[in-house]
């Protein structure tokens, strides 16, 4: 029953996008300045049917209707309601439906909210959006149907992968998809702007809120994903340079570049073509990411089940999309002969874009090179954290420096601000104090620390100065401050993280440099969907003589049968104590990983600051300096 | 002034001797758990990872250097096991392309501001 | 001016997408290539009676099959009859490496299923197997007189593999 409704609703949504494309094309030739009612109505209808189809799947999950394969394969009656709901997008088909829904919602919002006067521009954007919507509905209905029926109807479902049964991971996909899909709006708008010859400022003001919003959600999505990886995967890290993580980071770099260069465009200084290229690239990168993740050509922690036919579909779509974008771009791109003055604000934004694109290139090369080498030469290599750290870390130093100095310059005017001022000396002084406390010998990390301190101090000073003049650009201040703090705390965390790996039996204790780790006893626990072995550990701090109790678990889930290793994490203000245990097969020995991770909460907080700046940018876009 | 400060920094930085105790952890973090999905040996709980951990530990006890351990393992399992791809023929592009692109980007920006530079002078 | 740029861009994109297309059928199975053609390490294995056995001694035999197995591993049970089959071939000796197993259970297993091993060694901690590039069991390596690895099988040997081994030996 539900299954049929689901297919019918999404088919209607698909048909409406064809109708919309048809009417919109007709509308292009009519020189009336208003968009007719019927386009609004069809868009509304598309929105309603699209949401209904999502609702159907949601109902299927909430009421455990196992007549749909998708529900049967990913849900279970004993699952808590919250995870029944989040299970809707915890799989390939469901998440694709969510993705498509967000796409429809955004198109609709664009249609009703955008105040741009140029009718053809809006109509063309709508056409491109509907091409995207139609493609995803076709993909959904032909290849990845979340509503596929199953007969005979099973009594019980197979359950959701336990590592996905987690509040952070329930909100992670929606957040990221809002970021990803948000970039489709400026992709379509950029192409439409080229064809309808929209003027620079008008394009900038139209896409700017969408850039801010998608950037904000993308940042939050990455943050939540990384918090999840930190406590749920139990590997003692928060960023692994895993290909799938990279796929979410690559569009982020481009969005960041766009967020800055739109400011230049807004002031009619230039960068028209460049903003368009960035807009096209951002969504392209999103689709490339989708292709890599869903086709299963990558060896990653997060890959969905492999299915080459999915990959082929996305690849075909990607190819068509890229080639038509390139064609449209070269056919319509205006030639720009602008000059940019050195040491002006726009000069520094150019530099920002240079770095962002470089970061993107590094991550892209690192992610794709193994795939290409395997395909072309047949050799398998791995590219992991050492590669990214080696190449990216040195470039943080000039980036931090430019982030400190750049925003203080004026638009258009070429005037070099003095670098050697009180702030720099204050920063060096602070750095030396910190340096004496931490005794770090690595030159590179030392420089990164110094420049991140400089950025933080200067930004705070800028805030004070602006505050006096009553013209604070909160968005910039907060994001840059957040970035400075992020790099600072990541470096400190990197220096001071300690890790001990050892094997231990119950009753034994392990003496490390600063701690005594006592393995007191094993207890067992049992709830509806899993049984678990709980290790009771006592951590004694040798210097402070205080103790902490940590209880890592090994969980045996019954639906589906999976073993997970739950880290036990004690956070206090400055530092996290992190313990995971795993049993060594056929013995009574347990392998323990004990870690101290300082400033984890500060890292999360810094990223929150960064994203918050993006939100402010969205709300305060009217009164920018 | 600037030079003095940087000199001071460099002097301070060389004071602490390099700690070698974490070389074991470092090696384990640079190895791929081949039977897992993208995990490192350090992170994985699989049998394979546990054995490799012990082997690496043994090899360090035997006095092998970090490089020798990587070599030993890559001879058996291929470069696939190393998260830090070696700088060799097939990987030149991997290591150099980012820098080439960075320089290329710099040239483009130079060209964009060149006109302004000449105009000023 | 625009034309040459465009051609380069289009060719570049075509190259990227074609590679993506072919990458779709990249094999993700374990790589055995890196070890084939290499000489095996000089490893001291332990026999079931705790005597040492240097793997170099297999250079006395024309071909040796080194098989990694355990009584607790289900696929090993499946391939066992094929090992017994192979043990009857002239010029081929099978060295068994009992992987992370209890000696008693291993013996029981062989009594029940037949013993194809000319030499039976054990690797209770699994560490020796790393010298042979083992991922998990069952795995089998075909070595010639010069101690060069000719072939590596990951997973249980089937009849096709048996015939392939026969073919190599009869060459």
């Amino acid at each position: 029953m539900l299954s049929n409704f689901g297919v019918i609703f999404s088919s209607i949504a698909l048909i409406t996008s064809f109708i919309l494309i048809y009417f919109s094309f007709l509308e292009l030739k009519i020189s009336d300045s208003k968009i007719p009612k019927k386009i609004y109505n069809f868009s509304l209808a598309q929105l309603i049917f699209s949401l209904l189809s999502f609702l159907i799947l949601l109902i299927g999950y909430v009421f455990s209707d196992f007549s749909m394969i998708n529900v049967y394969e990913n849900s279970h009656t004993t699952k808590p309601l919250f995870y029944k709901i989040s299970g809707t997008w915890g799989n390939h088909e469901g998440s694709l439906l969510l993705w498509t829904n967000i796409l429809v919602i955004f198109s609709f919002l664009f249609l009703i909210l955008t105040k741009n006067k140029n009718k053809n521009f809006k109509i063309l954007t709508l056409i491109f959006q509907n091409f995207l919507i139609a493609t995803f509905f076709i993909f959904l209905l032909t290849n990845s149907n979340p509503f596929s029926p199953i007969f005979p109807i099973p009594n019980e479902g197979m359950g959701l992968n336990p590592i996905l049964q987690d509040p952070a991971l329930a909100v992670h996909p929606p957040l990221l998809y809002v970021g990803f899909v948000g970039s489709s709006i400026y992709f379509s708008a950029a192409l439409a702007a080229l064809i309808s010859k929209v003027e620079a400022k008008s394009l900038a003001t139209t896409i700017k809120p969408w850039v801010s919003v998608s950037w904000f959600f993308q940042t939050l999505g990455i943050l939540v994903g990384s918090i999840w990886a930190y406590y749920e995967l139990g590997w003692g890290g928060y960023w692994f340079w895993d290909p799938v993580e990279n796929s979410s980071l690559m569009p982020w770099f481009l969005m960041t570049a766009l967020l800055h260069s739109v400011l230049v465009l807004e002031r009619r200084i230039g960068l028209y073509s460049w903003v368009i290229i960035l807009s096209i690239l951002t969504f392209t990168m999103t689709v490339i990411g989708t292709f890599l993740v869903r086709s299963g050509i990558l060896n990653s922690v997060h890959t969905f089940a492999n299915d080459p036919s999915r990959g082929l579909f996305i690849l075909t779509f990607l190819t068509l999309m890229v080639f038509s974008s390139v064609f449209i771009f070269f056919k319509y791109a205006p030639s720009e002969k602008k000059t940019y003055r050195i040491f002006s604000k726009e000069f520094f934004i150019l530099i920002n874009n240079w770095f962002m694109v470089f970061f993107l290139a590094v991550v892209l090369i690192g992610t794709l090179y193994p795939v290409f080498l395997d395909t072309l030469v047949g050799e398998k290599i791995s590219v992991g954290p050492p590669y990214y750290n080696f190449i990216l870390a040195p470039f943080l130093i000039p980036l931090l420096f430019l982030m400190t100095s750049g925003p203080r310059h004026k638009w258009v005017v070429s005037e070099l601000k003095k670098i050697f001022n009180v702030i720099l000396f204050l920063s060096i002084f602070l750095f030396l104090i910190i340096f004496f406390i931490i005794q770090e010998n690595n030159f590179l990390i030392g420089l990164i620390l110094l420049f991140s301190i400089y950025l933080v101090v200067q930004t705070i000073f800028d805030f004070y100065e602006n505050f006096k003049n009553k013209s604070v650009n909160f968005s910039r201040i907060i994001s840059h401050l957040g970035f400075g703090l992020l790099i600072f705390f990541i470096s400190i965390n990197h220096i001071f993280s300690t890790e001990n790996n050892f094997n231990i039996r119950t009753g034994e204790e392990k003496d490390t440099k600063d701690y005594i780790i006592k393995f007191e006893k094993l207890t067992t626990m049992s709830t509806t969907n899993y049984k678990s072995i709980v290790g009771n550990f006592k951590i004694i701090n040798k210097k402070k003589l205080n103790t902490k109790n940590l209880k890592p678990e090994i969980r045996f889930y019954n639906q589906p049968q999976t073993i997970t290793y739950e880290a036990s994490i004690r956070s206090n203000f400055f530092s996290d104590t992190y313990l995971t245990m795993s049993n060594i097969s056929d013995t009574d020995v347990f392998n323990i990983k004990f870690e101290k991770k300082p400033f984890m909460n500060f890292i999360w907080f810094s990223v929150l600051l960064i994203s918050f700046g993006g939100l402010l940018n969205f709300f305060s876009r009217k009164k920018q300096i | 002034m600037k030079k003095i400060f940087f000199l001071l920094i460099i002097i301070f930085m060389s004071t602490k001797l390099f700690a070698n105790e974490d070389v074991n952890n470092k090696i384990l973090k640079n190895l791929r758990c081949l039977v897992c999905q993208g995990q490192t040996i350090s992170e994985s709980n699989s049998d394979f990872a546990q054995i490799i951990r012990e082997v690496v530990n043994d090899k360090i006890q035997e006095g092998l250097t970090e490089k020798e351990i990587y070599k030993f393992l890559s001879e058996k399992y291929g470069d696939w096991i190393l998260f830090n791809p070696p700088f060799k023929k097939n990987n030149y592009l991997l290591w150099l392309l980012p820098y080439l692109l960075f320089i290329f980007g710099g040239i483009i920006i130079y060209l964009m501001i060149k006109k302004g530079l000449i105009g000023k002078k | 001016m625009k034309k040459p740029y465009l051609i380069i861009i289009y060719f570049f994109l075509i190259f990227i997408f074609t590679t993506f297309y072919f990458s779709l059928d990249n094999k993700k199975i374990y790589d055995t290539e890196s070890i084939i053609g290499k000489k095996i390490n000089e490893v001291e294995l332990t026999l079931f009676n705790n005597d040492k056995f240097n793997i170099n001694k297999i250079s006395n035999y024309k071909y040796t099959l080194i098989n990694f197995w355990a009584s607790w591993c289900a696929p090993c049970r499946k391939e066992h009859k094929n090992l017994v089959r192979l043990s009857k071939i002239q010029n081929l000796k099978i060295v068994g490496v009992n992987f992370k197993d209890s000696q008693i259970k291993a013996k029981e297993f062989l009594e029940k299923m037949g013993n194809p091993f000319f030499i039976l060694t054990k690797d209770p901690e699994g560490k020796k197997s790393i010298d042979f590039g083992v991922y998990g069991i069952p795995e089998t390596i075909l070595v010639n007189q010069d101690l060069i690895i000719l072939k590596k099988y990951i997973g249980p040997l089937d009849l096709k593999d048996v015939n392939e081994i026969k073919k190599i030996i009869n060459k």
Side-chain angles (χ1 to χ4, degrees), chain A residues 212 215-220 222-223 249 252 256 259-260 356 400 403 455 474-490 602-618:
Chain A
S212 316
W215 186 85
F216 168 70
F217 280 100
Q218 187 82 3
T219 316
L220 270 191
I222 293 173
L223 172 69
L249 193 61
W252 187 87
T256 311
L259 202 61
H260 290 85
M356 286 305 139
L400 285 165
M403 282 175 79
L455 173 58
F474 279 112
S475 153
R476 185 280 276 188
I477 298 268
I478 288 180
S479 284
H480 280 209
L481 185 68
F483 187 77
L485 290 173
L486 176 70
I487 300 297
F488 179 76
F489 287 119
I490 286 179
F602 289 72
I603 293 178
W604 309 138
F605 175 72
S606 308
V607 182
L608 265 183
L609 271 187
I610 296 177
S611 65
F612 188 60
L615 196 64
L616 284 179
N617 188 36
F618 173 72

Side-chain angles (χ1 to χ4, degrees), chain A residues 79-108:
Chain A
K79 222 167 50 167
L81 179 67
F82 182 69
Y83 295 122
K84 281 183 184 165
I85 294 171
S86 72
T88 316
W89 53 80
N91 58 81
H92 165 72
E93 289 84 1
S95 64
L96 200 66
L97 185 62
L98 176 66
W99 167 290
T100 316
N101 263 277
I102 299 174
L103 193 57
V104 174
I105 295 170
F106 273 23
S107 302
F108 183 74

Side-chain angles (χ1 to χ4, degrees), chain B residues 34 58 72 75-78, chain C residues 30 34 38 41 127 131 134:
Chain B
L34 298 170
D58 288 357
F72 168 78
E75 270 175 8
K76 303 297 167 216
Y77 296 100
Chain C
Y30 302 116
S34 51
K38 289 208 180 102
N41 283 20
K127 288 196 257 185
D131 278 284
V134 167

Side-chain angles (χ1 to χ4, degrees), chain A residues 200-341:
Chain A
K201 186 175 168 128
S202 157
L203 173 66
T205 42
T206 307
I207 66 173
K208 208 177 141 196
W210 298 96
V211 177
S212 316
V213 164
S214 60
W215 186 85
F216 168 70
F217 280 100
Q218 187 82 3
T219 316
L220 270 191
I222 293 173
L223 172 69
V224 171
S226 126
I227 293 176
W228 169 78
Y230 175 65
Y231 69 80
E232 180 65 33
L233 292 180
W235 303 345
Y238 48 91
W239 190 263
F240 302 96
W241 293 107
D242 178 274
V244 171
E245 296 173 345
N246 293 349
S247 309
S248 68
L249 193 61
M250 289 188 289
W252 187 87
F253 287 133
L254 290 172
M255 285 178 196
T256 311
L258 200 51
L259 202 61
H260 290 85
S261 48
V262 157
L263 300 174
V264 180
L265 187 65
E266 201 177 27
R267 284 163 184 80
R268 296 198 180 88
I269 299 166
L271 296 188
Y272 188 83
S273 301
W274 177 239
V275 164
I276 289 189
I277 291 174
L278 276 180
S279 304
I280 294 171
L281 271 183
T282 310
F283 188 64
T284 306
M285 211 44 85
T286 302
V287 179
I288 289 179
T290 311
F291 166 70
L292 294 174
V293 175
R294 312 240 174 183
S295 66
I297 63 173
L298 293 170
N299 186 301
S300 145
V301 216
H302 312 271
T303 36
F304 293 78
N306 295 352
D307 182 356
S309 71
R310 281 175 205 166
L312 197 60
F313 188 96
I314 305 175
L315 185 60
T316 314
F317 165 61
L318 180 68
T319 314
L320 285 175
M321 190 182 96
V322 169
F323 275 98
S324 29
S325 311
V326 171
F327 175 77
I328 292 173
F329 180 81
F330 280 103
K331 188 158 191 285
Y332 294 98
S335 62
E336 273 181 284
K337 288 279 181 288
K338 302 264 184 183
T339 50
Y340 300 87
R341 291 210 177 85

Side-chain angles (χ1 to χ4, degrees), chain A residues 315-490:
Chain A
L315 185 60
T316 314
F317 165 61
L318 180 68
T319 314
L320 285 175
M321 190 182 96
V322 169
F323 275 98
S324 29
S325 311
V326 171
F327 175 77
I328 292 173
F329 180 81
F330 280 103
K331 188 158 191 285
Y332 294 98
S335 62
E336 273 181 284
K337 288 279 181 288
K338 302 264 184 183
T339 50
Y340 300 87
R341 291 210 177 85
I342 193 164
F343 302 131
S344 59
K345 198 168 239 171
E346 59 271 22
F347 167 75
F348 284 97
I349 284 179
L350 277 180
I351 306 264
N352 154 292
N353 278 225
W354 180 25
F355 275 79
M356 286 305 139
V357 173
F358 169 69
F359 287 161
L360 162 79
V362 174
V363 179
L364 188 65
I365 290 167
T367 311
L368 289 185
Y369 197 84
V371 176
F372 275 57
L373 196 66
D374 193 9
T375 313
L376 299 171
V377 188
E379 196 185 309
K380 275 187 190 303
I381 61 157
S382 301
V383 176
Y387 172 82
Y388 298 103
N389 293 343
F390 180 84
I391 295 194
L392 294 180
F395 285 88
L396 281 176
I397 297 164
L399 179 71
L400 285 165
F401 179 71
L402 290 160
M403 282 175 79
T404 315
S405 162
R408 308 179 60 236
H409 289 78
K410 292 198 187 90
W411 292 106
V412 189
V413 185
S414 169
E415 172 197 23
L416 184 58
K417 291 269 175 187
K418 262 170 95 177
I419 294 168
F420 291 96
N421 52 18
V422 190
I423 306 295
L424 181 63
F425 285 107
L426 185 65
S427 307
I428 291 176
F429 181 66
L430 260 176
F431 165 74
L432 288 176
I433 293 174
I434 291 170
F435 176 76
F436 272 116
I437 301 169
I438 66 173
Q439 295 277 308
E440 173 56 30
N441 59 334
N442 187 313
F443 186 62
L444 181 65
I445 294 182
L447 278 181
I448 291 176
L449 275 178
L450 171 64
F451 282 98
S452 59
I453 293 170
Y454 183 35
L455 173 58
V456 170
V457 175
Q458 179 70 59
T459 311
I460 293 171
F461 178 76
D462 283 357
F463 172 71
Y464 167 74
E465 236 185 7
N466 290 345
F467 196 71
K468 275 197 308 193
N469 305 334
K470 295 205 167 91
S471 63
V472 192
N473 180 353
F474 279 112
S475 153
R476 185 280 276 188
I477 298 268
I478 288 180
S479 284
H480 280 209
L481 185 68
F483 187 77
L485 290 173
L486 176 70
I487 300 297
F488 179 76
F489 287 119
I490 286 179

Side-chain angles (χ1 to χ4, degrees), chain A residues 235 240 299-301 303 339 354 358 369 379 382 384 386-387 428 435 439 443 446 499 565 582 585 593, chain B residues 2 5 12-13 16 25 29-30 32 37-39 42-43 45 47 80 82-83 90 94 98 102 106 113 115:
Chain A
W235 303 345
F240 302 96
N299 186 301
S300 145
V301 216
T303 36
T339 50
W354 180 25
F358 169 69
Y369 197 84
E379 196 185 309
S382 301
Y387 172 82
I428 291 176
F435 176 76
Q439 295 277 308
F443 186 62
E499 182 181 332
Y565 304 87
S582 59
S585 52
K593 185 190 262 211
Chain B
K2 174 183 165 192
F5 264 104
F12 286 135
M13 282 175 173
K16 205 178 123 193
N25 282 341
K29 285 211 164 83
N30 283 347
R32 181 190 282 272
Q37 289 270 313
Q39 272 170 289
S42 163
E43 293 152 359
N45 295 313
D47 266 3
W80 181 232
L82 307 176
F83 267 123
N90 275 341
L94 171 70
F102 186 77
I113 59 165
K115 257 193 173 170

Side-chain angles (χ1 to χ4, degrees), chain A residues 28 48 56 61 86 111 113 120 174 193 218 222 354 373 398 421 443 492 499 518 550 569-570 592 596 615:
Chain A
L28 286 176
I48 289 168
I56 293 286
Y61 269 90
S86 72
L111 183 67
L113 292 180
N120 275 7
Q218 187 82 3
I222 293 173
W354 180 25
L373 196 66
N421 52 18
F443 186 62
I492 296 280
E499 182 181 332
K518 267 190 182 162
L550 273 86
I569 305 170
R570 274 296 139 82
I592 301 296
K596 281 300 271 188
L615 196 64

